[in-house]
Short mmCIF file of all heavy atoms in Angstrom, two decimals:
data_model
loop_
_atom_site.label_atom_id
_atom_site.label_comp_id
_atom_site.label_asym_id
_atom_site.label_seq_id
_atom_site.Cartn_x
_atom_site.Cartn_y
_atom_site.Cartn_z
N PHE T 1 161.47 157.50 104.10
CA PHE T 1 161.36 157.62 105.56
C PHE T 1 161.90 158.97 106.02
O PHE T 1 162.77 159.57 105.39
CB PHE T 1 162.14 156.51 106.25
CG PHE T 1 161.49 155.15 106.15
CD1 PHE T 1 161.70 154.36 105.03
CD2 PHE T 1 160.68 154.67 107.17
CE1 PHE T 1 161.11 153.11 104.93
CE2 PHE T 1 160.10 153.42 107.07
CZ PHE T 1 160.31 152.64 105.95
N LEU T 2 161.38 159.41 107.15
CA LEU T 2 161.95 160.52 107.91
C LEU T 2 162.43 159.99 109.24
O LEU T 2 161.74 159.19 109.90
CB LEU T 2 160.90 161.62 108.16
CG LEU T 2 160.39 162.42 106.97
CD1 LEU T 2 159.28 163.37 107.44
CD2 LEU T 2 161.52 163.21 106.33
N LEU T 3 163.61 160.41 109.65
CA LEU T 3 164.15 160.08 110.96
C LEU T 3 164.28 161.38 111.73
O LEU T 3 165.05 162.27 111.34
CB LEU T 3 165.53 159.42 110.83
CG LEU T 3 165.67 158.27 109.83
CD1 LEU T 3 167.12 157.80 109.78
CD2 LEU T 3 164.75 157.13 110.21
N CYS T 4 163.54 161.50 112.83
CA CYS T 4 163.56 162.71 113.64
C CYS T 4 164.31 162.43 114.94
O CYS T 4 163.80 161.71 115.81
CB CYS T 4 162.14 163.19 113.95
SG CYS T 4 161.18 163.62 112.49
N PHE T 5 165.52 162.99 115.05
CA PHE T 5 166.35 162.78 116.23
C PHE T 5 166.24 163.98 117.16
O PHE T 5 166.43 165.12 116.71
CB PHE T 5 167.82 162.61 115.82
CG PHE T 5 168.11 161.40 115.00
CD1 PHE T 5 168.02 161.42 113.62
CD2 PHE T 5 168.49 160.21 115.62
CE1 PHE T 5 168.31 160.30 112.86
CE2 PHE T 5 168.78 159.08 114.87
CZ PHE T 5 168.68 159.12 113.49
N ASN T 6 166.00 163.73 118.43
CA ASN T 6 166.02 164.80 119.43
C ASN T 6 166.83 164.32 120.63
O ASN T 6 166.35 163.56 121.47
CB ASN T 6 164.61 165.18 119.88
CG ASN T 6 164.63 166.27 120.95
OD1 ASN T 6 165.66 166.94 121.14
ND2 ASN T 6 163.51 166.46 121.62
N ALA T 7 168.09 164.77 120.70
CA ALA T 7 168.94 164.40 121.82
C ALA T 7 168.90 165.44 122.93
O ALA T 7 169.65 165.33 123.91
CB ALA T 7 170.39 164.22 121.34
N HIS T 8 168.02 166.43 122.80
CA HIS T 8 167.90 167.48 123.81
C HIS T 8 167.13 166.96 125.01
O HIS T 8 166.35 166.00 124.92
CB HIS T 8 167.17 168.68 123.21
CG HIS T 8 167.27 169.92 124.02
ND1 HIS T 8 168.46 170.38 124.53
CD2 HIS T 8 166.33 170.83 124.40
CE1 HIS T 8 168.25 171.50 125.19
NE2 HIS T 8 166.97 171.79 125.14
N TRP T 9 167.35 167.60 126.17
CA TRP T 9 166.68 167.15 127.40
C TRP T 9 165.24 167.65 127.49
O TRP T 9 164.51 167.30 128.42
CB TRP T 9 167.47 167.59 128.63
CG TRP T 9 167.70 169.07 128.76
CD1 TRP T 9 168.71 169.78 128.21
CD2 TRP T 9 166.91 170.00 129.49
NE1 TRP T 9 168.61 171.11 128.54
CE2 TRP T 9 167.52 171.27 129.33
CE3 TRP T 9 165.75 169.91 130.26
CZ2 TRP T 9 167.00 172.43 129.91
CZ3 TRP T 9 165.24 171.06 130.84
CH2 TRP T 9 165.85 172.29 130.67
N GLU T 10 164.80 168.47 126.49
CA GLU T 10 163.42 168.94 126.45
C GLU T 10 162.76 168.52 125.14
O GLU T 10 163.44 168.26 124.14
CB GLU T 10 163.37 170.47 126.55
CG GLU T 10 163.78 171.03 127.90
CD GLU T 10 163.68 172.55 127.92
OE1 GLU T 10 163.96 173.18 126.87
OE2 GLU T 10 163.32 173.11 128.98
N ASP T 11 161.40 168.47 125.15
CA ASP T 11 160.67 168.22 123.92
C ASP T 11 160.97 169.34 122.92
O ASP T 11 161.23 170.49 123.31
CB ASP T 11 159.16 168.20 124.17
CG ASP T 11 158.74 167.06 125.10
OD1 ASP T 11 159.59 166.21 125.42
OD2 ASP T 11 157.56 167.04 125.50
N ILE T 12 160.94 169.02 121.63
CA ILE T 12 161.17 170.01 120.58
C ILE T 12 160.06 169.90 119.54
O ILE T 12 159.68 168.80 119.13
CB ILE T 12 162.55 169.83 119.92
CG1 ILE T 12 163.67 170.20 120.90
CG2 ILE T 12 162.67 170.66 118.65
CD1 ILE T 12 165.06 170.11 120.32
N GLU T 13 159.53 171.07 119.15
CA GLU T 13 158.52 171.11 118.09
C GLU T 13 159.23 171.06 116.73
O GLU T 13 160.07 171.91 116.43
CB GLU T 13 157.69 172.39 118.20
CG GLU T 13 156.92 172.52 119.51
CD GLU T 13 155.90 171.40 119.67
OE1 GLU T 13 155.17 171.12 118.70
OE2 GLU T 13 155.86 170.80 120.76
N VAL T 14 158.88 170.07 115.95
CA VAL T 14 159.53 169.86 114.66
C VAL T 14 158.49 169.97 113.55
O VAL T 14 157.44 169.30 113.60
CB VAL T 14 160.21 168.49 114.60
CG1 VAL T 14 160.70 168.18 113.20
CG2 VAL T 14 161.38 168.44 115.59
N THR T 15 158.78 170.81 112.57
CA THR T 15 157.91 170.94 111.41
C THR T 15 158.37 169.97 110.34
O THR T 15 159.57 169.95 109.98
CB THR T 15 157.93 172.37 110.86
OG1 THR T 15 157.49 173.28 111.88
CG2 THR T 15 157.02 172.49 109.64
N LEU T 16 157.44 169.16 109.84
CA LEU T 16 157.81 168.19 108.81
C LEU T 16 158.13 168.89 107.50
O LEU T 16 157.62 169.99 107.23
CB LEU T 16 156.68 167.18 108.61
CG LEU T 16 156.79 165.90 109.44
CD1 LEU T 16 156.76 166.21 110.93
CD2 LEU T 16 155.68 164.93 109.08
N PRO T 17 158.97 168.28 106.65
CA PRO T 17 159.35 168.89 105.37
C PRO T 17 158.12 169.13 104.49
O PRO T 17 157.05 168.54 104.70
CB PRO T 17 160.28 167.85 104.75
CG PRO T 17 160.78 167.04 105.89
CD PRO T 17 159.65 167.00 106.88
N PRO T 18 158.28 169.99 103.47
CA PRO T 18 157.15 170.29 102.57
C PRO T 18 156.71 169.08 101.76
O PRO T 18 157.38 168.05 101.70
CB PRO T 18 157.71 171.40 101.67
CG PRO T 18 159.20 171.30 101.79
CD PRO T 18 159.47 170.78 103.16
N ALA T 19 155.59 169.23 101.07
CA ALA T 19 154.89 168.11 100.44
C ALA T 19 155.70 167.40 99.36
O ALA T 19 155.44 166.23 99.07
CB ALA T 19 153.56 168.59 99.87
N GLU T 20 156.65 168.11 98.71
CA GLU T 20 157.40 167.41 97.66
C GLU T 20 158.20 166.23 98.20
O GLU T 20 158.59 165.34 97.45
CB GLU T 20 158.33 168.37 96.91
CG GLU T 20 159.36 169.05 97.75
CD GLU T 20 158.93 170.48 98.11
OE1 GLU T 20 157.71 170.70 98.28
OE2 GLU T 20 159.82 171.34 98.21
N TYR T 21 158.45 166.20 99.50
CA TYR T 21 159.14 165.07 100.11
C TYR T 21 158.17 163.98 100.56
O TYR T 21 158.57 162.86 100.84
CB TYR T 21 159.97 165.54 101.30
CG TYR T 21 161.12 166.43 100.89
CD1 TYR T 21 160.97 167.82 100.86
CD2 TYR T 21 162.33 165.88 100.50
CE1 TYR T 21 162.02 168.63 100.46
CE2 TYR T 21 163.39 166.70 100.11
CZ TYR T 21 163.22 168.06 100.08
OH TYR T 21 164.26 168.87 99.68
N GLY T 22 156.90 164.32 100.60
CA GLY T 22 155.88 163.38 101.03
C GLY T 22 154.76 164.13 101.72
O GLY T 22 155.02 164.97 102.60
N SER T 23 153.53 163.83 101.33
CA SER T 23 152.42 164.61 101.88
C SER T 23 151.86 164.02 103.17
O SER T 23 151.22 164.73 103.95
CB SER T 23 151.30 164.71 100.85
OG SER T 23 150.83 163.41 100.50
N ARG T 24 152.08 162.75 103.40
CA ARG T 24 151.50 162.12 104.59
C ARG T 24 152.48 161.07 105.13
O ARG T 24 153.03 160.28 104.37
CB ARG T 24 150.16 161.47 104.24
CG ARG T 24 149.37 160.98 105.44
CD ARG T 24 148.01 160.45 104.98
NE ARG T 24 147.21 160.02 106.11
CZ ARG T 24 146.42 160.82 106.83
NH1 ARG T 24 146.34 162.10 106.52
NH2 ARG T 24 145.72 160.36 107.84
N TRP T 25 152.65 161.07 106.44
CA TRP T 25 153.65 160.21 107.08
C TRP T 25 153.03 159.46 108.25
O TRP T 25 152.22 160.01 109.00
CB TRP T 25 154.83 161.04 107.58
CG TRP T 25 155.53 161.79 106.50
CD1 TRP T 25 155.23 163.04 106.03
CD2 TRP T 25 156.65 161.33 105.73
NE1 TRP T 25 156.09 163.39 105.02
CE2 TRP T 25 156.97 162.36 104.83
CE3 TRP T 25 157.40 160.16 105.74
CZ2 TRP T 25 158.02 162.24 103.92
CZ3 TRP T 25 158.44 160.04 104.84
CH2 TRP T 25 158.75 161.08 103.94
N ALA T 26 153.44 158.20 108.38
CA ALA T 26 152.99 157.38 109.51
C ALA T 26 154.16 157.18 110.47
O ALA T 26 155.28 156.90 110.05
CB ALA T 26 152.49 156.02 109.02
N ILE T 27 153.90 157.33 111.76
CA ILE T 27 154.94 157.14 112.77
C ILE T 27 155.03 155.64 113.07
O ILE T 27 154.16 155.06 113.71
CB ILE T 27 154.62 157.92 114.05
CG1 ILE T 27 154.51 159.42 113.75
CG2 ILE T 27 155.70 157.67 115.11
CD1 ILE T 27 154.08 160.27 114.93
N VAL T 28 156.11 155.01 112.61
CA VAL T 28 156.24 153.56 112.77
C VAL T 28 157.17 153.17 113.92
O VAL T 28 157.14 152.02 114.38
CB VAL T 28 156.71 152.90 111.44
CG1 VAL T 28 155.62 153.03 110.38
CG2 VAL T 28 158.02 153.49 110.95
N VAL T 29 158.03 154.09 114.35
CA VAL T 29 158.87 153.84 115.52
C VAL T 29 158.85 155.08 116.39
O VAL T 29 159.07 156.19 115.90
CB VAL T 29 160.33 153.50 115.15
CG1 VAL T 29 161.16 153.28 116.42
CG2 VAL T 29 160.40 152.27 114.25
N ASP T 30 158.59 154.87 117.67
CA ASP T 30 158.60 155.96 118.65
C ASP T 30 159.37 155.45 119.86
O ASP T 30 158.86 154.64 120.64
CB ASP T 30 157.17 156.34 119.02
CG ASP T 30 157.10 157.50 120.02
OD1 ASP T 30 158.14 157.84 120.61
OD2 ASP T 30 156.00 158.04 120.22
N THR T 31 160.62 155.91 120.02
CA THR T 31 161.42 155.38 121.13
C THR T 31 160.95 155.88 122.48
O THR T 31 161.24 155.26 123.51
CB THR T 31 162.92 155.72 120.94
OG1 THR T 31 163.09 157.14 120.99
CG2 THR T 31 163.45 155.16 119.63
N ALA T 32 160.26 157.01 122.51
CA ALA T 32 159.73 157.50 123.79
C ALA T 32 158.62 156.58 124.28
O ALA T 32 158.55 156.22 125.46
CB ALA T 32 159.22 158.93 123.64
N ALA T 33 157.73 156.19 123.37
CA ALA T 33 156.63 155.30 123.74
C ALA T 33 157.05 153.84 123.73
O ALA T 33 156.33 152.98 124.27
CB ALA T 33 155.46 155.50 122.76
N GLY T 34 158.18 153.54 123.10
CA GLY T 34 158.63 152.15 123.02
C GLY T 34 157.82 151.33 122.05
O GLY T 34 157.62 150.12 122.26
N GLU T 35 157.36 151.97 120.95
CA GLU T 35 156.48 151.29 120.00
C GLU T 35 157.15 151.13 118.63
O GLU T 35 157.82 152.04 118.15
CB GLU T 35 155.17 152.08 119.82
CG GLU T 35 154.30 152.11 121.06
CD GLU T 35 153.02 152.89 120.83
OE1 GLU T 35 152.98 153.70 119.88
OE2 GLU T 35 152.06 152.69 121.61
N VAL T 36 156.93 149.97 118.04
CA VAL T 36 157.28 149.73 116.65
C VAL T 36 156.02 149.21 115.97
O VAL T 36 155.49 148.16 116.34
CB VAL T 36 158.42 148.70 116.50
CG1 VAL T 36 158.78 148.52 115.02
CG2 VAL T 36 159.64 149.13 117.29
N LEU T 37 155.53 149.97 114.99
CA LEU T 37 154.30 149.61 114.28
C LEU T 37 154.64 149.40 112.81
O LEU T 37 155.79 149.53 112.40
CB LEU T 37 153.25 150.70 114.46
CG LEU T 37 152.96 151.10 115.92
CD1 LEU T 37 152.01 152.29 115.97
CD2 LEU T 37 152.38 149.93 116.70
N THR T 38 153.66 149.10 112.02
CA THR T 38 153.94 148.83 110.60
C THR T 38 152.75 149.17 109.74
O THR T 38 151.59 149.04 110.16
CB THR T 38 154.33 147.36 110.38
OG1 THR T 38 154.61 147.16 109.00
CG2 THR T 38 153.24 146.41 110.81
N LEU T 39 153.06 149.64 108.53
CA LEU T 39 152.02 149.89 107.53
C LEU T 39 151.66 148.62 106.78
O LEU T 39 150.55 148.47 106.29
CB LEU T 39 152.50 150.94 106.52
CG LEU T 39 152.61 152.39 107.02
CD1 LEU T 39 153.27 153.24 105.96
CD2 LEU T 39 151.25 152.94 107.36
N THR T 40 152.62 147.73 106.67
CA THR T 40 152.41 146.49 105.93
C THR T 40 152.76 145.32 106.82
O THR T 40 153.23 145.48 107.94
CB THR T 40 153.29 146.47 104.66
OG1 THR T 40 154.65 146.65 105.03
CG2 THR T 40 152.89 147.57 103.70
N THR T 41 152.57 144.13 106.32
CA THR T 41 152.89 142.94 107.11
C THR T 41 154.39 142.74 107.17
O THR T 41 155.05 142.51 106.16
CB THR T 41 152.22 141.70 106.49
OG1 THR T 41 150.80 141.90 106.44
CG2 THR T 41 152.53 140.47 107.32
N VAL T 42 154.94 142.89 108.37
CA VAL T 42 156.36 142.68 108.61
C VAL T 42 156.49 141.70 109.76
O VAL T 42 156.02 141.97 110.86
CB VAL T 42 157.07 144.01 108.97
CG1 VAL T 42 158.53 143.74 109.32
CG2 VAL T 42 156.97 145.00 107.82
#
């Protein structure tokens, strides 16, 4: 997993780590949108 924390009062552009850490990522929690999603049955 990646956890992206932004406690700043403005949006921040974040570059994801290089491919050796993972080539493709799904956003499963977004606190701004209030969404919790899942890749598998949870």
Side-chain angles (χ1 to χ4, degrees):
F1 287 84
L2 292 176
L3 311 177
C4 298
F5 295 89
N6 179 15
H8 194 47
W9 58 274
E10 291 181 325
D11 297 352
I12 291 182
E13 299 298 313
V14 171
T15 300
L16 267 62
E20 59 261 33
Y21 293 93
S23 60
R24 189 176 182 86
W25 300 88
I27 301 175
V28 293
V29 179
D30 181 347
T31 64
E35 293 180 340
V36 182
L37 307 174
T38 181
L39 288 172
T40 56
T41 301
V42 176

